[in-house]
Amino acid sequence: MDSGQGSGTLTRMTEEFIDLASLTTRIVGRFGPEAAAWCADTPELIARLASRWGLTLDGPLPDGASSVTLRCRWPDGTPAVLKLSPERALLAEQTRMLARFAPSGRVPAVLAFDEHAGAMVLEEIVPGTPADDLPAASLPARWAELLAALHSVPPPPRPTRTLRGRMEEAFARVGRRLTEPAIAARLDTAAWDLAVRRCERLLDTPSTTVLLHGDLHLGNVLDGGRERGLMAIDPKACVGDPCFDAVDYVVAGAGTDGVGARCARVAAACGLDPDRLHAWSRTIAPFAAVAHLASGGPEPAIDELLTLTR
C-alpha cells in the first residue's frame, strides 16, 4: 500500500485490511458503546498516519483485546507494526515503559508515537514466532534469560504502578464476568474471593521487588531469533514480585504438562521460589479459567484450573 496516494484512496485501501464489524464488537465489548465512534474512524485514522509517517501498510496482524495492529514498513524499509488503541493513556504508558526496558535489549524499539491519535509504530520482531509455538523443552531456559534481562532494568525512583494496584484492577475488571452463564456455572464468587485473599497474602509477605513486564503471557513473548532471544511486547509495567512475570507461562501448562510440573521446571530455571510461584499460580488460575470458560476452551485445562482455585 503506497503512502503517497491520496487520502481517500488510502482510506478505501485501509478498509480492506479491517473487518469493521468484528473490530466494533471487540472494542465496544471492552470499552462500552462510546467506543463505536472510534472504531468507525479507524480506517481514516490509519490512512492519515500512513501518509504522515510515510508507512507502507502490508496487512493485518492478530489484534489484542484493546488494539488494532497492522504490519507495515518504515520509510527506509524496516519491518514495523502500526498499533492503535482507544485506550490512549495505556498506549502512552506502554511507550514510556518500552523506552525504560530498552536497555534490556528484549523489547521492540518505538519508531513513532502520537499520543493524541492513540497510535505508535514499533519495529517488527523477526521471525516473531509466538512463544506458545516454540519447542516446549527450550522454553524454561529461554524464559529465564528473558526475565533476567527485563528484571535487570532498575525500577523508577517513584513508581506510579505497583503489582498491588495491577491486581486490584484485574480482580475488579474480570470479576464482573462471574455472572456470565458459562462462567457462573463452573466458577462461583467463593472461589473468586479465595483467590483475592491468596493474592493479598502474597502481596503482604516480603519478596524481592523488580520492575515487572506485568502481562507476560505467551502471546506477548515472541522469538527474536538467535541473536536477540525471546522478546516481550505490550508491557503493563509495574513494580513487584518477580514470580509474577513467570506465572502466566506456568498456568498455561494446565491440561498439557500440568501446572505443578511446569512450575517446578520454571522456578528452577529462573531461580524463583517454587512455593511462592505455585501460590501465584493458584491466584492466577481463576483468571485463566474465566478466559477458557468464556471461549469454550479445552476441558482438561478448565478442570485443572478449577481444581487449583479450590
Side-chain angles (χ1 to χ4, degrees):
M1 177 172 164
D2 184 356
S3 61
Q5 298 191 49
S7 60
T9 301
L10 276 171
T11 301
R12 289 191 296 274
M13 295 178 71
T14 299
E15 289 171 346
E16 297 176 5
F17 292 140
I18 298 174
D19 182 342
L20 273 179
S22 175
L23 169 67
T24 303
T25 298
R26 177 167 53 84
I27 296 296
V28 168
R30 172 86 174 189
F31 297 107
E34 62 275 11
W38 182 87
C39 297
D41 290 341
T42 296
E44 184 178 346
L45 174 59
I46 292 172
R48 290 201 308 270
L49 293 170
S51 180
R52 174 163 39 116
W53 286 331
L55 305 177
T56 300
L57 301 184
D58 291 334
L61 286 165
D63 297 316
S66 60
S67 64
V68 176
T69 52
L70 295 172
R71 180 175 281 113
C72 62
R73 279 172 284 145
W74 196 239
D76 65 2
T78 298
V81 175
L82 172 63
K83 178 177 178 179
L84 305 94
S85 174
E87 203 169 11
R88 295 178 178 87
L90 177 59
L91 212 63
E93 179 72 6
Q94 284 187 353
T95 301
R96 290 189 289 270
M97 287 300 99
L98 286 169
R100 179 167 288 276
F101 278 122
S104 73
R106 295 299 185 119
V107 296
V110 178
L111 303 178
F113 173 61
D114 184 327
E115 184 169 6
H116 178 73
M120 65 166 70
V121 181
L122 305 166
E123 67 160 320
E124 183 179 8
I125 304 302
V126 178
T129 308
D132 212 15
D133 295 331
L134 296 172
S138 70
L139 271 186
R142 299 186 72 185
W143 209 274
E145 294 171 354
L146 173 63
L147 293 197
L150 293 175
H151 294 173
S152 71
V153 176
R158 291 182 293 277
T160 58
R161 291 174 61 90
T162 65
L163 183 55
R164 185 179 298 275
R166 169 95 169 83
M167 293 308 300
E168 288 174 352
E169 181 277 331
F171 272 113
R173 172 172 47 82
V174 180
R176 291 192 289 268
R177 304 191 64 185
L178 296 181
T179 58
E180 296 177 18
I183 296 169
R186 305 284 296 278
L187 182 66
D188 58 23
T189 55
W192 194 254
D193 291 342
L194 178 57
V196 171
R197 293 195 297 274
R198 285 177 174 142
C199 185
E200 289 172 347
R201 285 197 296 271
L202 284 165
L203 293 170
D204 288 341
T205 52
S207 72
T208 304
T209 298
V210 300
L211 182 63
L212 297 166
H213 175 282
D215 195 23
L216 207 61
H217 58 77
L218 275 75
N220 275 346
V221 177
L222 308 177
D223 183 13
R226 182 174 298 179
E227 292 187 5
R228 303 186 76 177
L230 295 183
M231 303 285 288
I233 61 172
D234 294 350
K236 292 185 178 178
C238 58
V239 173
D241 187 338
C243 286
F244 190 76
D245 272 349
V247 70
D248 282 331
Y249 169 36
V250 169
V251 170
T256 54
D257 48 334
V259 171
R262 186 172 290 191
C263 180
R265 286 196 295 272
V266 172
C270 297
L272 299 171
D273 180 338
D275 293 333
R276 192 170 182 89
L277 182 56
H278 193 262
W280 271 113
S281 300
R282 300 189 74 187
T283 299
I284 296 302
F287 290 87
V290 166
H292 280 308
L293 288 167
S295 63
E299 198 61 33
I302 293 172
D303 287 342
E304 184 174 355
L305 292 168
L306 292 176
T307 298
L308 283 168
T309 69
R310 302 188 184 110

